[in-house]
């Protein structure tokens, strides 16, 4: 025997059918693997299309946040509502009292001036 295996003439019908069935099973397996490979290729293509868009959206949002953050901090500092502290209230009260005293002193000065004026004295004597 010179060949690698039995020739077609030496095979029985049962072994011939078994070989054909094995070939069909292998073809089915190759077809299933080809379908799986094609499904994987489609999945990777979809990822390649969607992931760059998502990455660009995330980086744009981060850049926008980084640019707006200093403006928000400045706005918070500028428009911060300040509660009046006790020193401001004390200064305002002191200024009000000084204004009242100044007004009272001015009234007393005017009254004294009117009492001491010669016109008033002459007018009272008559």
């Amino acid at each position: 025997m010179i060949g690698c295996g039995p020739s077609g003439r030496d095979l029985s019908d049962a072994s011939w059918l078994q070989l054909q069935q094995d070939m069909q099973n292998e073809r089915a397996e190759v077809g299933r693997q080809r379908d799986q490979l094609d499904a994987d290729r489609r999945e990777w293509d979809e990822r390649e299309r969607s992931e760059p868009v998502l990455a660009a959206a995330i980086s744009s949002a981060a850049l926008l946040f980084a640019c707006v953050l200093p403006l928000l901090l400045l706005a918070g500092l500028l428009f911060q509502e300040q509660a009046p502290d006790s020193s401001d209230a004390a200064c305002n009260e002191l200024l009000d009292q000084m204004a009242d005293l100044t007004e009272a002193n001015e009234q007393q000065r005017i009254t004294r001036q009117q009492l001491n004026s010669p016109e008033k004295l002459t007018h009272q004597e008559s």
Side-chain angles (χ1 to χ4, degrees):
M1 298 207 166
I2 300 176
C4 292
S7 67
R9 292 184 200 153
D10 295 338
L11 294 175
S12 66
D13 289 338
S15 58
W16 185 255
L17 287 173
Q18 182 62 37
L19 283 175
Q20 285 181 345
Q21 191 174 25
D22 289 344
M23 294 261 301
Q24 286 178 351
N25 288 340
E26 287 179 15
R27 285 182 188 158
E29 180 65 23
V30 168
R32 187 189 65 74
Q33 289 177 356
R34 185 188 65 236
D35 292 343
Q36 181 64 37
L37 183 64
D38 194 35
D40 289 344
R41 183 190 55 78
R42 277 187 250 124
E43 181 182 337
W44 280 101
D45 286 346
E46 182 64 31
R47 282 185 190 170
E48 287 178 3
R49 277 180 262 155
S50 66
E51 286 181 0
V53 172
L54 182 62
I58 290 172
S59 65
S60 296
L63 183 63
L64 180 65
F65 180 73
C67 290
V68 170
L69 185 63
L71 295 175
L72 292 175
L73 290 174
L74 283 175
L77 290 174
L78 289 176
F79 297 114
Q80 183 179 16
E81 187 174 323
Q82 297 177 350
D85 57 357
S86 60
S87 64
D88 286 345
C91 286
N92 287 337
E93 183 66 30
L94 185 60
L95 288 174
D96 288 342
Q97 288 176 2
M98 286 182 65
D100 291 343
L101 287 174
T102 305
E103 186 177 316
N105 284 340
E106 185 66 27
Q107 288 293 336
Q108 286 177 356
R109 189 183 63 78
I110 291 173
T111 305
R112 274 191 232 139
Q113 195 176 33
Q114 287 175 351
L115 289 175
N116 294 334
S117 73
E119 296 172 357
K120 195 70 160 166
L121 293 174
T122 56
H123 186 328
Q124 288 178 351
E125 293 173 0
S126 352

